[in-house]
Amino acid sequence: DLKNFIFYKKVEKNYTVGFFCENKFIFNYLEPYIQNKVKKKKIVLISFENIDLNNNDNVKLFVFKTNLIRELIFLTLKLKFLYSSTPDLNNTIFKRSKFSNCKYIYLQHSPVSLNLIYRENAFDFFDAVQVISNYQLNEMNEIKKINSLKLKVFKSKYLFVEKQKKNKIQDEKIDVLIAPSWNTQFYKLNCHKILKRFLLEKNITFRLRPHPMSYLKNEISKDKILNEGFILDDTKYINFLKYENLISDWSGIFIEYSLITKKKAYLINTPKKLTNEKYKKYKNKPIEIFLRDKLGKTYEIEKISKLIEEMTLKKSQDNRDFENNEFEKMIQETFY
């Protein structure tokens, strides 16, 4: 890390734009923005994990694995612009530079609420924050007003969705992807085991894709999941088009799934994922609550058998999820 730090400082003057991409999971969302930037200039990429850049000569990757050097990099940064999808700037080791007037721009890695699952001051120290929907725009404007912030809010497309639509299916489709969020008690309540039992009874093929934070927070372990007979989707980057159906809980993945496939997801009513206890003080309703029954079908835990029955019936009857132009109208009115 020290050698990397010294080398970075030697070459930093050659770059004006950088990205802080915390890990491979976040890279999946930042990659389209990185690709757009490198068409015009070379960029530096700071990460905490090794990332495969496919030999792109216009991107210089620096990986730092010790917190001391990580914080030192951020505090001494001399770029003009740093893009990131990691919130809580200045509240963690991710801090603003003490040696430059670098502008910090936040890019979204989820279509969900900016109040519900982020800490109260998660965006206060950014110079600009991207919003990808009317809901995020209204929330960010309200956050600006309440916290007396001067940051710029800018509207743009959610490029992760456009990237997903270009994916190809290289093998046979699988019936179901189970992809819960973290901090929802999904595993503690044995939702994965209940789903597995009913899916096997109906001979429905499925894969489980735990959220990276579920591993990090010890909600579940990879070895335990495999020992319980699950087949994991542990691919580096998810391919939504590979699956006929999605089962989740409070993850924003259900919105992404609908945007990409134009289908409704099946959502289990586990306890709500909640990071900011004060979200109710804001007037604007979180998008994942508003769209939950519009882009998904919800079920209580004790009704998981009904979920599987309805999924099976839909498959046999080839029912449509949306009528006429209902979906397109909803999306056009909501997302940029």
Side-chain angles (χ1 to χ4, degrees), residues 21-215:
C21 185
E22 190 171 352
N23 50 45
K24 296 173 185 175
F25 174 76
I26 295 297
F27 181 72
N28 196 21
Y29 295 87
L30 287 182
E31 185 183 21
Y33 303 98
I34 293 172
Q35 294 301 330
N36 284 346
K37 281 293 177 190
V38 296
K39 292 176 183 177
K40 299 178 181 179
K41 59 178 64 184
K42 292 183 177 182
I43 67 164
V44 64
L45 179 61
I46 299 170
S47 182
F48 295 166
E49 290 183 1
N50 290 312
I51 294 173
D52 184 5
L53 299 175
N54 295 319
N55 298 318
N56 192 326
D57 294 333
N58 287 330
V59 183
K60 182 63 179 176
L61 173 66
F62 288 89
V63 180
F64 300 100
K65 298 187 177 182
T66 55
N67 285 343
L68 175 63
I69 302 298
R70 289 170 177 173
E71 190 165 358
L72 191 59
I73 275 288
F74 294 130
L75 288 173
T76 61
L77 205 68
K78 290 185 179 179
L79 298 170
K80 288 187 177 180
F81 301 96
L82 185 72
Y83 294 85
S84 176
S85 194
T86 298
D88 293 304
L89 178 64
N90 264 17
N91 298 322
T92 64
I93 60 172
F94 179 33
K95 289 182 170 62
R96 292 184 68 99
S97 174
K98 301 293 185 181
F99 293 87
S100 72
N101 292 318
C102 180
K103 301 298 182 184
Y104 293 78
I105 300 104
Y106 185 85
L107 299 174
Q108 301 294 339
H109 66 267
S110 175
V112 297
S113 166
L114 304 181
N115 292 325
L116 188 64
I117 68 165
Y118 294 96
R119 285 191 281 238
E120 188 175 12
N121 304 111
F123 307 103
D124 287 12
F125 292 95
F126 285 92
D127 295 286
V129 175
Q130 176 202 32
V131 292
I132 61 173
S133 69
N134 291 331
Y135 287 87
Q136 288 188 348
L137 175 64
N138 293 335
E139 284 181 329
M140 204 62 235
N141 284 335
E142 192 175 6
I143 290 171
K144 273 186 67 175
K145 184 177 180 180
I146 290 175
N147 295 352
S148 301
L149 304 176
K150 295 182 180 180
L151 60 80
K152 180 181 178 181
V153 180
F154 66 98
K155 300 185 288 185
S156 71
K157 285 186 177 181
Y158 190 35
L159 296 187
F160 173 75
V161 169
E162 304 305 313
K163 172 185 171 182
Q164 279 286 325
K165 288 178 179 178
K166 296 176 183 177
N167 281 338
K168 296 180 180 179
I169 305 168
Q170 297 179 339
D171 47 22
E172 188 176 351
K173 270 198 171 186
I174 296 168
D175 292 323
V176 179
L177 173 65
I178 305 171
S181 188
W182 63 284
N183 197 27
T184 61
Q185 298 187 38
F186 184 87
Y187 301 103
K188 187 176 181 180
L189 294 169
N190 289 319
C191 295
H192 59 309
K193 294 180 180 179
I194 299 171
L195 282 167
K196 177 189 171 187
R197 176 161 59 89
F198 287 116
L199 288 168
L200 288 175
E201 285 179 2
K202 297 291 185 179
N203 293 316
I204 297 174
T205 57
F206 62 94
R207 299 288 184 272
L208 175 64
R209 189 179 179 93
H211 193 285
M213 288 297 290
S214 291
Y215 290 136

